[in-house]
């Protein structure tokens, strides 16, 4: 009788106090200096949990949308997760200082994260996936399919996730985003991509899964061409000038990370305050410095340092920017197809 | 009143352990079993089905991955036993006092850092630009960089290294209780080193060997970090499949089915092992 309440108290989840913001986000999106400045201005303590798209959905699904007050999934992953698991609540746009956000991005995210009349996302940071390439092979690696080219045996790395499938499909002359609505067509396309990736396997040194792994492989020179994020490529470039980020000829893959409210979050007010705080141009520039990616905040570029701008311009000329393929929302069910293909590639010898 | 006293005390003492067992082990497993038996029919709609278990047997990939994991784990267990037995013998029989504590400590020290750090240590040693490759080139034994990471041998090295302690400890405990006069008597009766080992030492140490093997086998089978980090593109470990289904694919139902299958099949393998070596579980766990 005595033991039971004690055990229950142990198991009971810690109740969030009113002046706490539990933030589920990506590495670099909530740097210490910004967290401290926010705490000073509002008195709200920020508890940061680092995550990625799949992990965010898994965590929120496990609790039915509890445990966090604000999450930052990519915009293309919101509607399917919401329909399937009901983990978010709609954004109240009256509480957001919309004048701080670039209009075109705000409109695009509103459209891409809407279910009926309800909108679930506000844009925050955007960036691209493309190729991280060593100068020694830069002449030969200009598109996704070049990763599978001859003479690169054991010198290539990519992540066994969606981007490599989508990128390969584009480089093979297909348009996977158009095929999103047509499941059989998408499946055929992915089968073909799967075959390419199986044939490509001798080129692969190791599949990377975290950013550190990629950086290790590329900066040691063991891998000379890899799939990666632009920010990762630029970070490597600052350390080793021979490495750079290249936008693939068939188009870099563009993503936008958003703010979304977990359905059973406790401190909604703090979440809105954080959104409005970090979208101020000078704060947004601080986050850009730590994350390496640009934000949807209006006027933040003015505060971003010159080196990052130079890196960005070296990777993207105007044509490459126009050629960025922005991820549309993923319909539920497609990821099961992709999963099967990835499993098969992984198992092939 | 007085008769109730001891019984109440027993329950109070058992209470925390029982609560732990029920709340944190039995209930989650029951829940996992229930999750594994449902099929996602639509958004938020479920029906009962064994389809996820069927997938394991019909999709060769999953079945092969499990077999590979089991075979590699058995091999790792065997190698660990072969390497740990002389070490345990030396600690239990050949040395006394301070040296003995020091040797035990030497076995224990690697476990003061986390498994992740130990695995990264192996990666630093074995990778193409790593320590071993560098040494080989410096000493002229190799003309170019040597890649020793990302293959099955690297996985095996990592597994054996990670589970050495769990074999050494039960072996030392049982060998310690072996009376030296028995060995002496065997030699007096004309035995040689080999026959003494086969007829006296191994039969005596059998409970320790089996309990060590069970622990090491289960640890290897359930290991996630070592095969994934050291195995590279062909690692194919069953726990990796479970992780992928749960976290990457959001397919909890399939992941749960794999989890249940891992539990059942590994128990089956242990049971078979006990039958083959004619050991009883209660004897081994004593």
């Amino acid at each position: 009788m005595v033991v039971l309440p004690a055990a229950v108290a142990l198991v009971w989840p810690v109740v969030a106090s009113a002046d706490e913001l539990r933030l589920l986000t990506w590495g670099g999106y909530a740097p210490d200096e910004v967290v401290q400045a926010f705490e000073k201005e509002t008195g709200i303590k920020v508890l940061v949990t680092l995550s990625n798209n799949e992990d965010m959905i898994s965590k929120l699904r496990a609790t039915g949308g509890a445990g966090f007050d604000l999450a930052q999934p990519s915009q293309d992953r919101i509607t399917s997760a919401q329909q399937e698991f009901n983990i978010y609540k709609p954004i109240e746009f009256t509480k957001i200082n919309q004048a701080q956000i670039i209009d075109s991005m705000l409109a695009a995210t509103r459209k891409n994260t809407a279910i009926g009349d309800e909108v679930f996302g506000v844009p925050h940071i955007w960036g691209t996936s493309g190729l991280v390439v060593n100068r020694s092979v830069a002449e030969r690696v200009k598109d996704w399919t070049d990763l599978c080219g001859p003479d690169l045996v054991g010198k290539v790395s990519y992540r066994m996730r969606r981007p490599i499938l989508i990128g390969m499909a584009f480089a093979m002359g297909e348009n996977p985003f158009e095929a999103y609505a047509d499941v059989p067509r998408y499946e055929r396309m992915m089968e073909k991509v799967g075959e390419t990736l199986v044939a490509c396997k001798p080129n692969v040194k190791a599949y990377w899964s975290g950013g550190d792994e990629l950086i290790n492989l590329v900066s040691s020179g063991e891998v000379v061409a890899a799939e990666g994020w632009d920010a990762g490529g630029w970070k490597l470039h600052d350390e080793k000038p021979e490495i750079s980020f290249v936008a693939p000829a068939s188009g870099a893959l563009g993503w936008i990370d958003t703010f979304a409210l977990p359905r059973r979050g406790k401190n909604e007010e703090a979440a809105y305050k954080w959104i409005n705080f970090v979208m101020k141009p000078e704060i947004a520039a601080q986050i850009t410095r730590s994350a390496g990616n640009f934000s949807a905040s209006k006027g933040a570029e003015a505060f971003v340092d010159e080196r990052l701008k130079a890196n960005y311009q070296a990777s993207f000329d105007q044509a490459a920017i126009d050629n960025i393929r922005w991820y549309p929302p993923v319909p539920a069910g497609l990821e099961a197809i992709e999963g099967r293909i990835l499993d098969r590639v992984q198992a092939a010898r | 009143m007085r008769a109730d006293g001891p019984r109440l005390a027993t329950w109070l003492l058992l209470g925390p352990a029982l609560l732990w067992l029920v709340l944190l082990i039995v209930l989650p497993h029951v829940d996992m079993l229930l999750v594994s038996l449902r099929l996602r029919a639509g958004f938020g709609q479920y029906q009962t089905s064994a389809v996820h278990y069927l997938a394991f047997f019909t999709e060769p990939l999953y079945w092969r991955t499990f077999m590979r994991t089991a075979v590699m784990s058995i091999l790792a267990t065997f190698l660990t036993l072969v390497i740990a037995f002389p070490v345990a013998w030396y600690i239990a029989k050949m040395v006394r006092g301070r040296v003995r504590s020091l040797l035990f400590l030497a076995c224990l020290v690697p476990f003061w850092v986390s498994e992740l750090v130990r695995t990264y240590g192996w990666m630093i040693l074995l990778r193409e630009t790593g320590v071993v490759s560098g040494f080989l080139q410096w000493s002229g034994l190799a003309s170019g960089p040597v890649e020793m990471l990302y293959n099955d041998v690297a996985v095996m090295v990592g597994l054996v290294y990670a589970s050495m302690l769990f074999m050494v400890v039960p072996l030392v405990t049982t060998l310690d209780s072996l009376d030296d006069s028995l060995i002496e008597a065997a030699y007096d009766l004309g035995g040689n080193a080999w026959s003494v080992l086969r007829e006296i030492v191994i039969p005596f140490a059998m409970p320790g060997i089996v309990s060590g093997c069970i622990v090491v086998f289960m640890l290897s089978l359930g290991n996630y970090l070592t095969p994934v980090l050291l195995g590279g593109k062909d690692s194919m470990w069953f726990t990796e499949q479970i992780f992928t289904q749960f976290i990457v694919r959001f397919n909890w139902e399939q992941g749960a089915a794999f989890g249940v299958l891992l539990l059942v099949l590994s128990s089956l393998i242990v049971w078979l092992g006990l039958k083959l070596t004619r050991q009883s579980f209660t004897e081994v766990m004593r």
Side-chain angles (χ1 to χ4, degrees), chain A residues 3 7 54 57-58 61-62 83-84 161 201 204-207 217 220 222 332 339 342-343 347 349, chain B residues 19 38 40 43-44 61-62 68 127-129 147 150 233-234 236 245-250 252-253:
Chain A
V3 185
E54 288 83 13
I57 297 173
S58 296
R61 180 191 173 185
Q83 284 170 327
E84 206 146 345
R161 295 278 169 94
K201 225 176 162 185
V204 175
K205 171 125 190 142
Y207 300 122
L217 285 166
S220 68
E222 292 177 13
L342 290 174
D343 274 348
R349 293 256 166 184
Chain B
L19 272 176
R38 61 180 205 200
R40 221 180 325 161
F43 293 138
L61 160 67
Y62 302 139
R68 185 183 134 81
R127 68 186 311 152
E128 198 178 328
T129 50
E147 174 66 284
Y150 307 128
K233 60 180 174 180
D234 295 319
M236 301 260 295
Q245 294 298 345
F246 267 101
I247 304 296
V248 185
R249 308 278 155 72
F250 319 128
W252 285 14
E253 293 75 21

Side-chain angles (χ1 to χ4, degrees), chain A residues 109-172:
Chain A
T109 302
R110 282 187 79 140
K111 188 175 133 246
N112 284 334
T113 60
I115 299 174
D117 293 335
E118 295 177 325
V119 175
F120 292 89
V122 180
H124 180 209
I125 302 262
W126 67 274
T128 64
S129 298
L131 301 165
V132 177
V133 178
N134 194 303
R135 193 188 288 148
S136 63
V137 295
E139 275 308 302
R140 280 185 283 144
V141 181
K142 296 201 180 297
D143 206 347
W144 298 100
T145 37
D146 296 336
L147 292 175
C148 304
D151 309 330
L152 289 176
V153 175
K155 296 253 168 227
V156 166
S157 182
Y158 41 79
R159 203 165 54 125
M160 287 302 270
R161 295 278 169 94
R162 311 194 63 230
I164 192 67
L165 293 176
I166 305 281
M168 279 288 171
F170 272 119
M172 287 160 72

Side-chain angles (χ1 to χ4, degrees), chain A:
Chain A
M1 279 292 108
V2 187
V3 185
L4 199 64
V8 169
L10 267 178
V11 183
W12 216 249
V14 182
V15 180
S17 61
D19 48 1
E20 245 176 30
L21 173 70
R22 295 162 305 163
L23 178 63
L24 185 61
T25 188
W26 302 74
Y29 283 21
D32 282 344
E33 45 187 16
V34 173
V35 167
Q36 273 159 21
F38 180 71
E39 205 173 322
K40 212 161 148 197
E41 193 179 294
T42 61
I44 297 169
K45 221 172 143 264
V46 184
L47 302 174
V48 178
T49 305
L50 299 186
S51 185
N52 59 50
N53 268 323
E54 288 83 13
D55 183 67
M56 278 178 210
I57 297 173
S58 296
K59 278 209 167 78
L60 293 175
R61 180 191 173 185
T63 58
F68 296 94
D69 302 307
L70 187 61
Q72 298 217 256
S74 299
Q75 64 164 3
D76 57 310
R77 305 296 280 270
I78 291 182
T79 49
S80 61
Q82 173 60 17
Q83 284 170 327
E84 206 146 345
F85 308 126
N86 189 21
I87 48 179
Y88 301 118
K89 57 186 163 194
I91 304 273
E92 286 175 54
F93 277 88
T94 48
K95 294 189 177 167
I96 285 172
N97 185 355
Q98 296 176 56
Q100 292 187 134
I101 303 173
I102 296 172
D103 301 316
S104 61
M105 293 186 81
L106 185 64
T109 302
R110 282 187 79 140
K111 188 175 133 246
N112 284 334
T113 60
I115 299 174
D117 293 335
E118 295 177 325
V119 175
F120 292 89
V122 180
H124 180 209
I125 302 262
W126 67 274
T128 64
S129 298
L131 301 165
V132 177
V133 178
N134 194 303
R135 193 188 288 148
S136 63
V137 295
E139 275 308 302
R140 280 185 283 144
V141 181
K142 296 201 180 297
D143 206 347
W144 298 100
T145 37
D146 296 336
L147 292 175
C148 304
D151 309 330
L152 289 176
V153 175
K155 296 253 168 227
V156 166
S157 182
Y158 41 79
R159 203 165 54 125
M160 287 302 270
R161 295 278 169 94
R162 311 194 63 230
I164 192 67
L165 293 176
I166 305 281
M168 279 288 171
F170 272 119
M172 287 160 72
E174 304 277 2
N175 189 334
F177 293 162
E178 266 175 21
Y180 267 13
D182 182 353
V183 175
R185 183 179 155 206
Y186 192 74
E187 194 160 7
R188 279 198 304 279
M189 191 184 293
M190 285 302 130
E191 300 269 352
K192 243 172 72 188
V193 171
E195 281 162 29
T196 309
L197 289 178
V198 169
C200 192
K201 225 176 162 185
N203 275 17
V204 175
K205 171 125 190 142
Y207 300 122
W208 62 271
S209 53
D212 300 340
E213 237 174 310
L214 173 69
I215 286 175
N216 257 328
L217 285 166
V218 177
S219 74
S220 68
E222 292 177 13
V223 158
V224 293
E227 171 238 337
W229 290 297
D230 43 14
W234 294 329
K235 228 170 247 175
L236 278 163
H237 180 76
D238 289 340
E239 287 166 27
K240 302 211 160 181
E242 71 265 26
I243 298 163
S244 52
F245 178 81
V246 175
S250 58
L253 303 174
W255 42 262
I256 301 175
D257 288 337
T258 66
F259 295 108
L261 296 169
R263 186 165 61 88
R264 290 164 59 204
K266 291 229 163 66
N267 202 347
E268 214 173 295
E269 288 315 306
Y272 284 115
K273 273 185 193 158
W274 174 262
I275 297 174
N276 288 330
F277 182 76
V278 297
M279 292 315 269
K280 289 180 186 169
E282 61 282 13
I283 305 289
Q286 278 180 8
I287 293 179
T288 292
R289 208 171 304 139
S290 97
N293 279 115
F294 292 89
S295 89
S297 158
K298 241 181 234 173
E301 306 94 75
F303 298 92
V304 170
D305 63 8
E306 290 305 316
R307 200 166 61 173
L308 189 58
K309 271 190 215 166
N311 279 342
Y312 170 73
Q313 280 154 3
S315 296
F316 289 100
D317 53 18
Q318 192 56 46
I321 294 174
D322 296 337
N323 200 20
I324 293 177
R325 314 276 189 165
W326 296 98
Y327 284 110
V330 191
L334 285 195
E335 288 182 83
I337 298 173
E338 295 163 4
R340 229 174 26 244
I341 303 290
L342 290 174
D343 274 348
R344 210 171 297 162
V345 173
Q346 190 114 37
R349 293 256 166 184

